Amino acid sequence: MRALLVALALLLSACAGTQDGKTTITFWDNNGGPGRTPIYEELIKRFEAANPDVKVEYVGIPSSSVQQKYDTAIAGGSTPDVGGVTTSYLAHLAGQDALEPVDERLEGSSLKGKLIPGLLETVRQTASDGKLYAVPASGNLDVIWYRSDRFAEKHIQEPVTWDDLVKAATQLTDPAANRYGFTIRGGAGSVFQLLSEAYSYSGVEKFYDGGKSTVADPRNTELVRKVAELYKKATPEADVNNNYTQMVAQFTGGTVAMMHHNLGSTADVMKTLGPERVSAMPLPKGPSGKRTVLPNPTDGFAVFKGGKNTDAAWRFVEFLVSAESNGYWNEKVGQIPANTDVRGAAWIQQNPAVKMALGVLEDPATVLVPAPVHLPEYSSITKTDTEPLYQKVLLGQLPAQEFLDQLAAKLTTAQQDWEKRK
């Protein structure tokens, strides 16, 4: 039934135009669901009140299928007017000439000079022509969520290094009580998390060196081995198949004491456990002592060329990223607002996780190591090609070095092909 409703909504999106004297635009939410759909419904209500000549048709699509839905819509000439996107697949959409560059619109809008430069740069770098194909709306950071109450019970300090984390995970594990110190994401979405962990440990400062991927650096391999050695010893056995939902359920349900995810899980974690039982820390450092961060994909909004009302679509994007709307959305989901006018908001000072993340990203000593999300093949390489191989590493069927060698080879080839096309 759900699939039928989504299909009907996608079909209706092709019919957007002018109705009852109003311009109708279709907006696809790229992470639709009970957590975020109500936020957009409220923002749409506010937008329509301020813009009575425009009606917004909302379509919520699960993040797991949104890229496929975009591809289908592009091929069929039935794209929305506005779509939520992340830089993980933005290059793929731009490569199909499906999106309108918004550089000139941004330059002449109320958003000029109001967006975090680093987030703008992460969006620009996805395109081979350097143009801006989406307006960033939200930043994110990988964190370790941990049960501060259990740490206090065991008199364990917040881990600073990966060796500290491994030790804490062991101390917090009691299989007889179904309690484990850590949870591994072994299923869908696992490889990006693993790469974030590897680079935070290794201190390697570039994803490519001379056109060759650094993924297989021995220091990265060392971290993969450390994580794999935790499997079934300080983690549940089911972790080999963990996706995001299962991982969060284990953490909020009390089975595990530490979980690597990002600020996107703030609402789920805080709603269930509360600030008195849970805290967030940055990914630990490795032997180098450096803070090396693999930035999360940047969330934003794109205007589709195939849309029938691009001017009205831009007005909606501009509204969504305005200080008031951007602050509202990011406060609800617990992420970093792209609009710098939100920085002084009281909710940021009252949200330790977001405040900590801002501190990490703004620290001049922090080294950002952007993943090559500009590669059209990046998603398929890290997901379809590599996630099953990581499961073999966890099961002891594939050496960590061989696993990373295969991944690095594919990423190197993809980068070289992209350079040639560029």
Side-chain angles (χ1 to χ4, degrees):
M1 178 60 72
R2 180 182 178 85
L4 177 60
L5 290 174
V6 170
L8 288 172
L10 298 183
L11 180 61
L12 288 173
S13 72
C15 302
T18 302
Q19 300 177 13
D20 300 324
K22 293 184 178 183
T23 297
T24 300
I25 61 173
T26 302
F27 167 55
W28 286 12
D29 172 7
N30 60 323
N31 196 2
R36 303 193 181 192
T37 295
I39 304 174
Y40 279 123
E41 289 175 339
E42 171 61 25
L43 288 172
I44 289 171
K45 186 187 303 181
R46 296 181 185 182
F47 173 77
E48 290 179 339
N51 298 268
D53 60 322
V54 181
K55 179 177 175 55
V56 180
E57 296 285 356
Y58 170 89
V59 179
I61 304 174
S63 60
S64 58
S65 60
V66 69
Q67 185 174 337
Q68 178 186 357
K69 292 290 192 292
Y70 278 139
D71 286 344
T72 301
I74 293 168
S78 57
T79 59
D81 296 279
V82 180
V85 298
T86 78
T87 49
S88 61
Y89 50 81
L90 182 59
H92 180 68
L93 299 180
Q96 298 179 73
D97 196 30
L99 307 178
E100 179 181 285
V102 293
D103 304 78
E104 291 185 8
R105 289 187 184 273
L106 183 61
E107 184 67 19
S109 81
S110 60
L111 297 176
K112 180 181 178 180
K114 299 291 186 179
L115 303 178
I116 297 175
L119 294 183
L120 282 170
E121 182 57 31
T122 62
V123 175
R124 286 191 188 282
Q125 73 169 4
T126 63
S128 59
D129 58 9
K131 293 181 180 179
L132 195 70
Y133 287 97
V135 178
S138 184
N140 208 339
L141 184 76
D142 275 40
V143 300
I144 301 290
W145 292 105
Y146 69 96
R147 289 290 299 270
S148 52
D149 55 345
R150 294 187 184 175
F151 273 67
E153 290 170 6
K154 295 283 187 178
H155 304 288
I156 301 173
Q157 298 296 313
E158 179 179 292
V160 175
T161 68
W162 274 98
D163 287 342
D164 293 340
L165 184 146
V166 169
K167 182 179 178 180
T170 303
Q171 293 174 316
L172 292 162
T173 295
D174 182 0
N178 194 32
R179 284 191 172 188
Y180 297 88
F182 193 58
T183 180
I184 296 171
R185 187 172 184 172
S190 61
V191 173
F192 182 81
Q193 273 195 200
L194 181 66
L195 291 176
S196 298
E197 294 168 355
Y199 281 90
S200 75
Y201 176 85
S202 69
V204 174
E205 297 186 5
K206 296 179 180 179
F207 206 94
Y208 285 97
D209 188 2
K212 182 178 180 181
S213 171
T214 61
V215 162
D217 187 287
R219 291 166 290 182
N220 286 338
T221 305
E222 191 174 335
L223 184 281
V224 175
R225 290 197 193 101
K226 284 181 181 290
V227 172
E229 287 170 359
L230 285 174
Y231 176 60
K232 289 198 299 185
K233 295 177 183 177
T235 79
E237 185 173 357
D239 280 11
V240 69
N241 293 312
N242 261 3
N243 59 24
Y244 163 73
T245 303
Q246 294 160 334
M247 185 173 59
V248 171
Q250 288 181 155
F251 183 70
T252 57
T255 302
V256 300
M258 288 186 285
M259 174 185 73
H260 168 200
H261 190 237
N262 57 52
L263 296 176
S265 49
T266 299
D268 290 330
V269 169
M270 289 301 174
K271 180 180 179 181
T272 306
L273 298 172
E276 68 280 357
R277 291 191 289 171
V278 65
S279 297
M281 64 182 181
L283 295 189
K285 298 177 181 179
S288 70
K290 292 185 291 187
R291 174 80 67 200
T292 40
V293 173
L294 209 68
N296 267 249
T298 299
D299 286 308
F301 304 106
V303 175
F304 281 77
K305 278 186 176 181
K308 298 177 176 61
N309 300 289
T310 54
D311 288 341
W314 171 255
R315 282 163 60 189
F316 184 53
V317 170
E318 190 174 11
F319 173 84
L320 289 176
V321 193
S322 65
E324 183 177 354
S325 300
N326 194 232
Y328 176 81
W329 194 90
N330 282 284
E331 180 181 7
K332 294 294 185 182
V333 301
Q335 295 186 182
I336 301 168
N339 194 311
T340 55
D341 283 349
V342 187
R343 287 298 183 86
W347 70 265
I348 290 182
Q349 303 308 313
Q350 297 165 5
N351 187 318
V354 172
K355 189 175 181 180
M356 177 274 294
L358 279 169
V360 169
L361 293 178
E362 293 175 344
D363 185 347
T366 297
V367 179
L368 298 181
V369 188
V373 294
H374 59 275
L375 299 176
E377 306 93 339
Y378 179 73
S379 182
S380 61
I381 289 174
T382 55
K383 293 180 180 180
T384 307
D385 297 351
T386 310
E387 286 174 0
L389 297 181
Y390 180 43
Q391 291 180 320
K392 289 186 176 182
V393 174
L394 294 176
L395 295 171
Q397 300 170 358
L398 181 68
Q401 188 63 63
E402 184 177 339
F403 160 70
L404 290 181
D405 284 341
Q406 291 186 39
L407 175 56
K410 291 181 179 181
L411 289 170
T412 296
T413 299
Q415 176 67 15
Q416 291 173 348
D417 290 345
W418 183 80
E419 289 288 351
K420 291 177 183 177
R421 293 194 299 271
K422 182 180 176 182

